[in-house]
Amino acid sequence: MLHYITYKHKASTVWVTFVHGAGGSSSIWFKQIREFKKHFNVLLLDLRGHGNSKPNLKNVFDEKYTFDVITNDIVEVINFENIEKSHFVGISLGTILIRNLAEMHPERVESMVMGGAIMKLNLRSQILMKLGIIFKTIIPYLWLYKFFAFIIMPNKNHKESRSLFVREAKKLYQKEFIRWFKLTSEINPLLRFFRAADIKIPTLYVMGEEDYLFLPSIRKIVGFHQNSKLLVVEDCGHVVNVEQPKFFNDEVIKYLSFPVKISD
């Protein structure tokens, strides 16, 4: 099972589950924990191969990772903790896993908060992925990761986010990185399906105004997904919860604290 930490609230029965992105770990939520645990029960988990979820014997022989396999890891944890339903907060690739979980088990998802959401790869993103596939076994993965981090988070005010993700990525093994990178082979059809399907679960997208790769597609999605709302964070890049934590915490806690009407 994945490594995870829970913070139990004395009175609330509401759960919030945080899902980090590829190359990160649950430590990227360090600016959220103090505020969120005042209001909710909190579940922080490390995806397989990340943070303290080190590859086990089963994973070593599991050559192909799929989004369904990774999503089922999360479901295993919430089942073990007897969490019937939770709000899910994700960042970057974690938002894909949350949306996938909502498709597989909609009854388990109270709402989705998608920070730095990835719902479409533009031409630049797709070229980057192809370059990564070509070079992933030739050059050290950390070089690739630093390069991707700089392309996704290029500005001076994104430096803290870049440094945090590169520091966490150093804990990955090369083979583990390659397994995660191979997930990109199934990402385009999955994202195409997500964009087309208007899921009936309240969804808040929190995007930095400088998230040039991913913000344009989210603007379009919110235009025709009835249960979606977009918050654009000024002077902010891809990793909104790290770069603008106070805004992120205040707005997300407010969103999770009040019921959202579902449109038919």
Side-chain angles (χ1 to χ4, degrees):
M1 191 180 295
L2 300 180
H3 175 268
Y4 67 92
I5 301 169
T6 58
Y7 296 91
K8 301 284 182 73
H9 193 277
K10 289 181 179 178
S12 177
T13 59
V14 179
W15 279 92
V16 178
T17 300
F18 288 88
V19 183
H20 64 82
S25 77
S26 57
S27 68
I28 69 150
W29 304 109
F30 70 102
K31 294 184 179 183
Q32 279 65 61
I33 297 168
R34 180 183 294 177
E35 292 304 315
F36 277 78
K37 70 181 185 179
K38 290 177 185 176
H39 305 273
F40 313 106
N41 297 288
V42 172
L43 170 62
L44 298 167
L45 47 81
D46 290 330
L47 299 174
R48 63 166 66 188
H50 293 68
N52 289 314
S53 291
K54 299 305 180 190
N56 57 30
L57 196 59
K58 181 181 75 174
N59 299 152
V60 167
F61 297 105
D62 185 4
E63 285 298 325
K64 183 164 172 57
Y65 285 9
T66 66
F67 281 104
D68 284 355
V69 166
I70 306 297
T71 301
N72 281 328
D73 287 346
I74 301 170
V75 175
E76 185 180 30
V77 173
I78 63 174
N79 285 343
F80 187 79
E81 283 293 320
N82 296 312
I83 300 170
E84 291 185 14
K85 203 165 190 176
S86 176
H87 298 282
F88 286 85
V89 180
I91 195 75
S92 196
L93 185 131
T95 63
I96 301 177
L97 297 172
I98 289 171
R99 179 58 194 270
N100 198 44
L101 196 155
E103 292 292 341
M104 296 166 68
H105 304 283
E107 74 285 355
R108 312 296 294 273
V109 182
E110 193 78 50
S111 74
M112 300 182 288
V113 176
M114 316 287 247
I118 300 173
M119 285 292 140
K120 185 177 183 179
L121 298 182
N122 64 12
L123 183 60
R124 188 192 299 182
S125 308
Q126 293 190 49
I127 291 169
L128 282 174
M129 291 299 183
K130 284 184 170 64
L131 286 173
I133 289 166
I134 293 166
F135 292 113
K136 70 179 184 295
T137 55
I138 302 169
I139 63 175
Y141 80 90
L142 205 54
W143 293 8
L144 269 180
Y145 199 86
K146 285 179 178 178
F147 175 66
F148 290 146
F150 185 78
I151 295 295
I152 295 170
M153 302 168 263
N155 294 7
K156 189 178 289 186
N157 57 312
H158 307 162
K159 185 179 179 181
E160 183 183 1
S161 301
R162 284 198 307 271
S163 301
L164 175 61
F165 270 76
V166 169
R167 187 170 70 243
E168 289 301 314
K170 285 179 181 176
K171 300 173 185 176
L172 284 178
Y173 301 105
Q174 175 95 5
K175 194 168 184 180
E176 193 69 20
F177 175 83
I178 290 170
R179 283 174 175 160
W180 276 85
F181 207 93
K182 284 179 178 176
L183 276 173
T184 58
S185 64
E186 63 172 283
I187 200 170
N188 274 327
L190 191 63
L191 296 186
R192 200 176 301 120
F193 171 74
F194 290 162
R195 293 195 302 274
D198 185 0
I199 194 165
K200 288 185 174 9
I201 292 174
T203 305
L204 175 67
Y205 292 97
V206 188
M207 306 292 293
E209 67 172 350
E210 298 164 357
D211 195 351
Y212 311 116
L213 288 183
F214 305 116
L215 176 58
S217 62
I218 300 302
R219 289 190 189 277
K220 291 179 182 177
I221 286 171
V222 172
F224 65 89
H225 282 193
Q226 293 185 8
N227 300 299
S228 296
K229 179 182 176 184
L230 171 62
L231 277 178
V232 178
V233 190
E234 294 181 358
D235 302 315
C236 186
H238 184 59
V239 191
V240 285
N241 66 301
V242 172
E243 292 178 34
Q244 296 286 355
K246 187 179 187 313
F247 180 91
F248 184 89
N249 295 346
D250 290 348
E251 292 299 325
V252 173
I253 288 170
K254 185 166 63 177
Y255 182 80
L256 300 181
S257 298
F258 298 99
V260 180
K261 187 177 184 298
I262 298 290
S263 302
D264 293 327

